[in-house]
Amino acid sequence: AIIHLIDPQPACRVPLEALAAKRGFFFHPYALSSAPGIVSMLCAELPDSGALLGHSPARPMQKAVDVEAATLDSLFSDVCKPSDRTLLKLDLQGHELQALEGASRLLKDVEVALVEAPFFGNAGQPTAPDIISFFHRNGFDLFEIASLSGRPRDNRLREADFVFVRQGSPISANARWS
């Protein structure tokens, strides 16, 4: 497999570059969005998995930094082809639809997508129905719900990782019950 890692956080750059060099991965230090440019991101000074693009208020220990954004198409549309059987995994803390809007060419070559989506979002964040609808309009079926997460205070279902498979893929060809 050819693996590409994408993360715009300044604190993550050195460790991810080292990991990519050690394992033969490719590392891209960009935020993903619908258009290239400079975007504001809230992130910690230490490597963290909770950076947010265009969201407020900041969590404790986060500050706003400007980072370079790229589209999925600009990074991968000339690299991927249908015969690659591409898997796209996105965990962008509510920025998934903006990134997917910048992937109109790439999505034609993606066979499987794994995308995190909340069941209830903050203002402007897409929710599970938004993500499911986007993939359905783009020729994918919801194949599986890979994980579920509840919020700590009452364990209400907060988010899930959804697996989408391109319609017509051999992965979903066998729909038999037993």
Side-chain angles (χ1 to χ4, degrees), residues 18-95:
L19 174 67
K22 180 179 179 181
R23 300 281 178 98
F25 300 162
F26 296 90
F27 174 63
H28 308 275
Y30 301 104
L32 294 175
S33 200
S34 58
I38 301 298
V39 295
S40 180
M41 179 179 69
L42 296 171
C43 62
E45 291 186 29
L46 298 174
D48 184 30
S49 63
L52 301 167
L53 289 180
H55 293 282
S56 63
R59 297 178 198 164
M61 308 299 291
Q62 286 185 324
K63 65 178 186 171
V65 297
D66 288 338
V67 295
E68 188 173 354
T71 66
L72 284 163
D73 279 346
S74 69
L75 294 174
F76 301 114
S77 67
D78 294 335
V79 176
C80 298
K81 53 190 178 298
S83 61
D84 292 336
R85 305 195 74 192
T86 299
L87 164 69
L88 174 65
K89 182 190 182 298
L90 297 176
D91 184 348
L92 302 176
Q93 307 302 317
H95 203 70

